[in-house]
Every structure is written in C-alpha cells, then in structure tokens.
Amino acid sequence: MKRTYDDIINLPHHISATRSHMTAIDRAAQFSPFAALTGYEAAIKETARLTDERVDLDEYAKDALREKLQIITDRIKEHPEITITYFQPDAKKKGGAYVTAVGSAKKIDEYEQVVVMTDGTVIPIDETISIDGQIFELMAFHPCDE
C-alpha cells in the first residue's frame, strides 16, 4: 500500500549551491514581530512626560532677588556659596523644570544677565525664583540697628 509522501520521504535534504546555510537565530528573526509604527512608543512616553509651568514673580519677590544679587556682587571676590533655584525651559515641549544649583558664585554678568558659578554652571537671572545662602543670614543682623 502506497502512502502520500513515500516518493520523497527518503530523499536527501536539499542544500543550496548558491545560498549559505542560515543560522537558527537568523531563521527565528524572520518571524519576530516588527514595529509597524517606528517611534510610536517614544512619542507616547514624551507626551506622558510632565513639565512644570513657569512661575511669575511679583515685584516684591523681584526686588528681593535684586537685593540678593547686589549683595553677591559686592562680595563676589569671596566666592560666596549660594543656592539658586531657577526655571529651565524644556527643549521639546511647553513648560520645563525647576532646577536647584548649589555652589560658589564666580561672576554676575549684568550684560548677559546670568550668574556664573565656579563649576561653570550658567544661570539666567530672569529665570531665577530664589537665592539662598549664609551670606544673606549674616547680612540680616546689623549690630548698629540696636
């Protein structure tokens, strides 16, 4: 009795003369899923990423910052250690993040409107929302005010 594939069942395995043997990993790669929407996953993550809105300071807060910048300017040769919190706009979407830099002030560039720290950090004055440091605590007490 003849079965369906008896005529080919005992033939030797075909080996191509023009194509090299494919490794098992390359063969499996043919059947792996492919991303029809390249970049879709990254776009979703970017959309979901939260940013902060810029806070607008009132005139009282701006005056307080100007006074602190003047104190730093007057004592810049001492390289006072300060903590500055400023807004850093996001490069990809509306909003940004508030960043806090701690270090010694090297220079206040009034023309460029930036504070330059000794570590090279450049902080835009217009984006600054707070400046703190021991230099201001010492200035708060005036012995002649007694």
Side-chain angles (χ1 to χ4, degrees), residues 74-94:
D74 293 344
R75 298 180 64 187
I76 198 71
K77 289 182 180 177
E78 299 171 25
H79 298 292
E81 183 155 321
I82 56 175
T83 300
I84 300 181
T85 302
Y86 63 100
F87 184 77
Q88 190 171 46
D90 193 288
K92 295 184 179 182
K93 62 196 297 188
K94 184 179 177 183

PDB file of all heavy atoms in Angstrom, residues 74-94:
ATOM      1  N   ASP A  74      28.647  92.575  45.518  1.00  0.00           N
ATOM      2  CA  ASP A  74      29.536  93.302  46.425  1.00  0.00           C
ATOM      3  C   ASP A  74      30.589  92.397  47.058  1.00  0.00           C
ATOM      4  O   ASP A  74      31.672  92.857  47.399  1.00  0.00           O
ATOM      5  CB  ASP A  74      28.722  93.981  47.539  1.00  0.00           C
ATOM      6  CG  ASP A  74      27.829  95.104  47.013  1.00  0.00           C
ATOM      7  OD1 ASP A  74      28.045  95.559  45.861  1.00  0.00           O
ATOM      8  OD2 ASP A  74      26.896  95.505  47.748  1.00  0.00           O
ATOM      9  N   ARG A  75      30.273  91.116  47.190  1.00  0.00           N
ATOM     10  CA  ARG A  75      31.195  90.184  47.853  1.00  0.00           C
ATOM     11  C   ARG A  75      31.652  89.061  46.929  1.00  0.00           C
ATOM     12  O   ARG A  75      32.038  87.987  47.392  1.00  0.00           O
ATOM     13  CB  ARG A  75      30.509  89.623  49.100  1.00  0.00           C
ATOM     14  CG  ARG A  75      30.184  90.772  50.094  1.00  0.00           C
ATOM     15  CD  ARG A  75      29.519  90.330  51.321  1.00  0.00           C
ATOM     16  NE  ARG A  75      30.394  89.440  52.095  1.00  0.00           N
ATOM     17  CZ  ARG A  75      29.981  88.797  53.183  1.00  0.00           C
ATOM     18  NH1 ARG A  75      28.750  88.946  53.623  1.00  0.00           N
ATOM     19  NH2 ARG A  75      30.797  88.008  53.814  1.00  0.00           N
ATOM     20  N   ILE A  76      31.643  89.326  45.623  1.00  0.00           N
ATOM     21  CA  ILE A  76      31.943  88.284  44.635  1.00  0.00           C
ATOM     22  C   ILE A  76      33.376  87.739  44.779  1.00  0.00           C
ATOM     23  O   ILE A  76      33.618  86.567  44.492  1.00  0.00           O
ATOM     24  CB  ILE A  76      31.675  88.794  43.193  1.00  0.00           C
ATOM     25  CG1 ILE A  76      31.544  87.613  42.229  1.00  0.00           C
ATOM     26  CG2 ILE A  76      32.767  89.751  42.728  1.00  0.00           C
ATOM     27  CD1 ILE A  76      30.296  86.820  42.402  1.00  0.00           C
ATOM     28  N   LYS A  77      34.326  88.550  45.239  1.00  0.00           N
ATOM     29  CA  LYS A  77      35.717  88.089  45.391  1.00  0.00           C
ATOM     30  C   LYS A  77      35.841  86.991  46.434  1.00  0.00           C
ATOM     31  O   LYS A  77      36.780  86.206  46.410  1.00  0.00           O
ATOM     32  CB  LYS A  77      36.633  89.257  45.731  1.00  0.00           C
ATOM     33  CG  LYS A  77      36.824  90.196  44.564  1.00  0.00           C
ATOM     34  CD  LYS A  77      37.757  91.322  44.892  1.00  0.00           C
ATOM     35  CE  LYS A  77      37.891  92.224  43.677  1.00  0.00           C
ATOM     36  NZ  LYS A  77      38.733  93.379  43.930  1.00  0.00           N
ATOM     37  N   GLU A  78      34.865  86.903  47.322  1.00  0.00           N
ATOM     38  CA  GLU A  78      34.856  85.863  48.350  1.00  0.00           C
ATOM     39  C   GLU A  78      34.293  84.550  47.821  1.00  0.00           C
ATOM     40  O   GLU A  78      34.345  83.531  48.508  1.00  0.00           O
ATOM     41  CB  GLU A  78      34.011  86.311  49.551  1.00  0.00           C
ATOM     42  CG  GLU A  78      34.508  87.559  50.224  1.00  0.00           C
ATOM     43  CD  GLU A  78      33.522  88.088  51.248  1.00  0.00           C
ATOM     44  OE1 GLU A  78      32.715  87.293  51.782  1.00  0.00           O
ATOM     45  OE2 GLU A  78      33.558  89.301  51.518  1.00  0.00           O
ATOM     46  N   HIS A  79      33.751  84.575  46.601  1.00  0.00           N
ATOM     47  CA  HIS A  79      33.074  83.411  46.005  1.00  0.00           C
ATOM     48  C   HIS A  79      32.077  82.796  46.990  1.00  0.00           C
ATOM     49  O   HIS A  79      32.212  81.646  47.413  1.00  0.00           O
ATOM     50  CB  HIS A  79      34.073  82.350  45.532  1.00  0.00           C
ATOM     51  CG  HIS A  79      34.996  82.832  44.469  1.00  0.00           C
ATOM     52  ND1 HIS A  79      34.572  83.138  43.203  1.00  0.00           N
ATOM     53  CD2 HIS A  79      36.325  83.082  44.486  1.00  0.00           C
ATOM     54  CE1 HIS A  79      35.597  83.551  42.481  1.00  0.00           C
ATOM     55  NE2 HIS A  79      36.687  83.530  43.234  1.00  0.00           N
ATOM     56  N   PRO A  80      31.062  83.589  47.371  1.00  0.00           N
ATOM     57  CA  PRO A  80      30.103  83.090  48.368  1.00  0.00           C
ATOM     58  C   PRO A  80      29.349  81.855  47.886  1.00  0.00           C
ATOM     59  O   PRO A  80      29.001  81.750  46.709  1.00  0.00           O
ATOM     60  CB  PRO A  80      29.141  84.274  48.536  1.00  0.00           C
ATOM     61  CG  PRO A  80      29.255  85.053  47.269  1.00  0.00           C
ATOM     62  CD  PRO A  80      30.673  84.871  46.815  1.00  0.00           C
ATOM     63  N   GLU A  81      29.133  80.921  48.808  1.00  0.00           N
ATOM     64  CA  GLU A  81      28.354  79.726  48.472  1.00  0.00           C
ATOM     65  C   GLU A  81      26.878  80.062  48.555  1.00  0.00           C
ATOM     66  O   GLU A  81      26.407  80.581  49.569  1.00  0.00           O
ATOM     67  CB  GLU A  81      28.680  78.562  49.393  1.00  0.00           C
ATOM     68  CG  GLU A  81      27.910  77.326  48.978  1.00  0.00           C
ATOM     69  CD  GLU A  81      28.563  76.031  49.402  1.00  0.00           C
ATOM     70  OE1 GLU A  81      29.800  75.934  49.348  1.00  0.00           O
ATOM     71  OE2 GLU A  81      27.814  75.119  49.785  1.00  0.00           O
ATOM     72  N   ILE A  82      26.174  79.773  47.462  1.00  0.00           N
ATOM     73  CA  ILE A  82      24.754  80.105  47.376  1.00  0.00           C
ATOM     74  C   ILE A  82      23.971  78.939  46.789  1.00  0.00           C
ATOM     75  O   ILE A  82      24.540  78.036  46.176  1.00  0.00           O
ATOM     76  CB  ILE A  82      24.514  81.371  46.521  1.00  0.00           C
ATOM     77  CG1 ILE A  82      25.126  81.208  45.126  1.00  0.00           C
ATOM     78  CG2 ILE A  82      25.036  82.608  47.213  1.00  0.00           C
ATOM     79  CD1 ILE A  82      24.830  82.349  44.178  1.00  0.00           C
ATOM     80  N   THR A  83      22.680  78.983  47.001  1.00  0.00           N
ATOM     81  CA  THR A  83      21.759  78.012  46.417  1.00  0.00           C
ATOM     82  C   THR A  83      20.772  78.808  45.565  1.00  0.00           C
ATOM     83  O   THR A  83      20.083  79.692  46.085  1.00  0.00           O
ATOM     84  CB  THR A  83      21.002  77.250  47.522  1.00  0.00           C
ATOM     85  OG1 THR A  83      21.953  76.572  48.339  1.00  0.00           O
ATOM     86  CG2 THR A  83      20.038  76.235  46.921  1.00  0.00           C
ATOM     87  N   ILE A  84      20.749  78.505  44.273  1.00  0.00           N
ATOM     88  CA  ILE A  84      19.859  79.217  43.354  1.00  0.00           C
ATOM     89  C   ILE A  84      18.880  78.224  42.749  1.00  0.00           C
ATOM     90  O   ILE A  84      19.281  77.181  42.231  1.00  0.00           O
ATOM     91  CB  ILE A  84      20.640  79.905  42.216  1.00  0.00           C
ATOM     92  CG1 ILE A  84      21.629  80.915  42.768  1.00  0.00           C
ATOM     93  CG2 ILE A  84      19.681  80.579  41.241  1.00  0.00           C
ATOM     94  CD1 ILE A  84      22.425  81.657  41.718  1.00  0.00           C
ATOM     95  N   THR A  85      17.606  78.554  42.815  1.00  0.00           N
ATOM     96  CA  THR A  85      16.572  77.762  42.154  1.00  0.00           C
ATOM     97  C   THR A  85      16.086  78.566  40.953  1.00  0.00           C
ATOM     98  O   THR A  85      15.742  79.746  41.098  1.00  0.00           O
ATOM     99  CB  THR A  85      15.404  77.449  43.106  1.00  0.00           C
ATOM    100  OG1 THR A  85      15.928  76.748  44.245  1.00  0.00           O
ATOM    101  CG2 THR A  85      14.357  76.578  42.423  1.00  0.00           C
ATOM    102  N   TYR A  86      16.104  77.908  39.801  1.00  0.00           N
ATOM    103  CA  TYR A  86      15.728  78.603  38.567  1.00  0.00           C
ATOM    104  C   TYR A  86      14.947  77.678  37.648  1.00  0.00           C
ATOM    105  O   TYR A  86      14.986  76.457  37.788  1.00  0.00           O
ATOM    106  CB  TYR A  86      16.960  79.165  37.860  1.00  0.00           C
ATOM    107  CG  TYR A  86      17.949  78.127  37.398  1.00  0.00           C
ATOM    108  CD1 TYR A  86      17.992  77.707  36.073  1.00  0.00           C
ATOM    109  CD2 TYR A  86      18.857  77.555  38.285  1.00  0.00           C
ATOM    110  CE1 TYR A  86      18.902  76.755  35.647  1.00  0.00           C
ATOM    111  CE2 TYR A  86      19.768  76.604  37.873  1.00  0.00           C
ATOM    112  CZ  TYR A  86      19.784  76.211  36.549  1.00  0.00           C
ATOM    113  OH  TYR A  86      20.686  75.249  36.124  1.00  0.00           O
ATOM    114  N   PHE A  87      14.243  78.289  36.704  1.00  0.00           N
ATOM    115  CA  PHE A  87      13.423  77.562  35.745  1.00  0.00           C
ATOM    116  C   PHE A  87      14.262  77.242  34.515  1.00  0.00           C
ATOM    117  O   PHE A  87      14.923  78.109  33.959  1.00  0.00           O
ATOM    118  CB  PHE A  87      12.213  78.406  35.335  1.00  0.00           C
ATOM    119  CG  PHE A  87      11.259  77.681  34.424  1.00  0.00           C
ATOM    120  CD1 PHE A  87      10.381  76.740  34.936  1.00  0.00           C
ATOM    121  CD2 PHE A  87      11.231  77.947  33.069  1.00  0.00           C
ATOM    122  CE1 PHE A  87       9.493  76.071  34.102  1.00  0.00           C
ATOM    123  CE2 PHE A  87      10.349  77.294  32.226  1.00  0.00           C
ATOM    124  CZ  PHE A  87       9.475  76.358  32.743  1.00  0.00           C
ATOM    125  N   GLN A  88      14.226  75.979  34.122  1.00  0.00           N
ATOM    126  CA  GLN A  88      14.941  75.551  32.917  1.00  0.00           C
ATOM    127  C   GLN A  88      13.896  75.098  31.898  1.00  0.00           C
ATOM    128  O   GLN A  88      13.255  74.058  32.094  1.00  0.00           O
ATOM    129  CB  GLN A  88      15.898  74.406  33.258  1.00  0.00           C
ATOM    130  CG  GLN A  88      16.841  74.055  32.143  1.00  0.00           C
ATOM    131  CD  GLN A  88      17.894  73.082  32.630  1.00  0.00           C
ATOM    132  OE1 GLN A  88      17.579  72.110  33.305  1.00  0.00           O
ATOM    133  NE2 GLN A  88      19.133  73.347  32.308  1.00  0.00           N
ATOM    134  N   PRO A  89      13.676  75.888  30.821  1.00  0.00           N
ATOM    135  CA  PRO A  89      12.665  75.521  29.825  1.00  0.00           C
ATOM    136  C   PRO A  89      12.967  74.167  29.188  1.00  0.00           C
ATOM    137  O   PRO A  89      14.124  73.800  28.991  1.00  0.00           O
ATOM    138  CB  PRO A  89      12.758  76.642  28.787  1.00  0.00           C
ATOM    139  CG  PRO A  89      13.448  77.765  29.480  1.00  0.00           C
ATOM    140  CD  PRO A  89      14.345  77.133  30.503  1.00  0.00           C
ATOM    141  N   ASP A  90      11.907  73.430  28.868  1.00  0.00           N
ATOM    142  CA  ASP A  90      12.033  72.136  28.210  1.00  0.00           C
ATOM    143  C   ASP A  90      12.295  72.367  26.728  1.00  0.00           C
ATOM    144  O   ASP A  90      11.667  73.219  26.105  1.00  0.00           O
ATOM    145  CB  ASP A  90      10.744  71.327  28.400  1.00  0.00           C
ATOM    146  CG  ASP A  90      10.934  69.877  28.029  1.00  0.00           C
ATOM    147  OD1 ASP A  90      11.057  69.593  26.827  1.00  0.00           O
ATOM    148  OD2 ASP A  90      10.962  69.031  28.926  1.00  0.00           O
ATOM    149  N   ALA A  91      13.206  71.613  26.157  1.00  0.00           N
ATOM    150  CA  ALA A  91      13.565  71.781  24.750  1.00  0.00           C
ATOM    151  C   ALA A  91      12.508  71.204  23.810  1.00  0.00           C
ATOM    152  O   ALA A  91      12.443  71.596  22.642  1.00  0.00           O
ATOM    153  CB  ALA A  91      14.919  71.111  24.480  1.00  0.00           C
ATOM    154  N   LYS A  92      11.674  70.301  24.291  1.00  0.00           N
ATOM    155  CA  LYS A  92      10.752  69.596  23.398  1.00  0.00           C
ATOM    156  C   LYS A  92       9.296  69.989  23.549  1.00  0.00           C
ATOM    157  O   LYS A  92       8.506  69.764  22.658  1.00  0.00           O
ATOM    158  CB  LYS A  92      10.875  68.088  23.606  1.00  0.00           C
ATOM    159  CG  LYS A  92      12.232  67.543  23.216  1.00  0.00           C
ATOM    160  CD  LYS A  92      12.260  66.052  23.348  1.00  0.00           C
ATOM    161  CE  LYS A  92      13.610  65.509  22.940  1.00  0.00           C
ATOM    162  NZ  LYS A  92      13.644  64.063  23.016  1.00  0.00           N
ATOM    163  N   LYS A  93       8.917  70.538  24.688  1.00  0.00           N
ATOM    164  CA  LYS A  93       7.507  70.851  24.880  1.00  0.00           C
ATOM    165  C   LYS A  93       7.347  72.051  25.793  1.00  0.00           C
ATOM    166  O   LYS A  93       8.299  72.517  26.391  1.00  0.00           O
ATOM    167  CB  LYS A  93       6.741  69.631  25.404  1.00  0.00           C
ATOM    168  CG  LYS A  93       7.199  69.134  26.757  1.00  0.00           C
ATOM    169  CD  LYS A  93       6.742  67.756  27.124  1.00  0.00           C
ATOM    170  CE  LYS A  93       5.280  67.579  27.262  1.00  0.00           C
ATOM    171  NZ  LYS A  93       4.888  66.298  27.799  1.00  0.00           N
ATOM    172  N   LYS A  94       6.123  72.543  25.897  1.00  0.00           N
ATOM    173  CA  LYS A  94       5.831  73.706  26.715  1.00  0.00           C
ATOM    174  C   LYS A  94       6.095  73.381  28.186  1.00  0.00           C
ATOM    175  O   LYS A  94       5.824  72.291  28.647  1.00  0.00           O
ATOM    176  CB  LYS A  94       4.370  74.112  26.530  1.00  0.00           C
ATOM    177  CG  LYS A  94       3.989  75.374  27.259  1.00  0.00           C
ATOM    178  CD  LYS A  94       2.551  75.737  27.011  1.00  0.00           C
ATOM    179  CE  LYS A  94       2.190  76.969  27.808  1.00  0.00           C
ATOM    180  NZ  LYS A  94       0.797  77.330  27.664  1.00  0.00           N
TER     181      LYS A  94
END
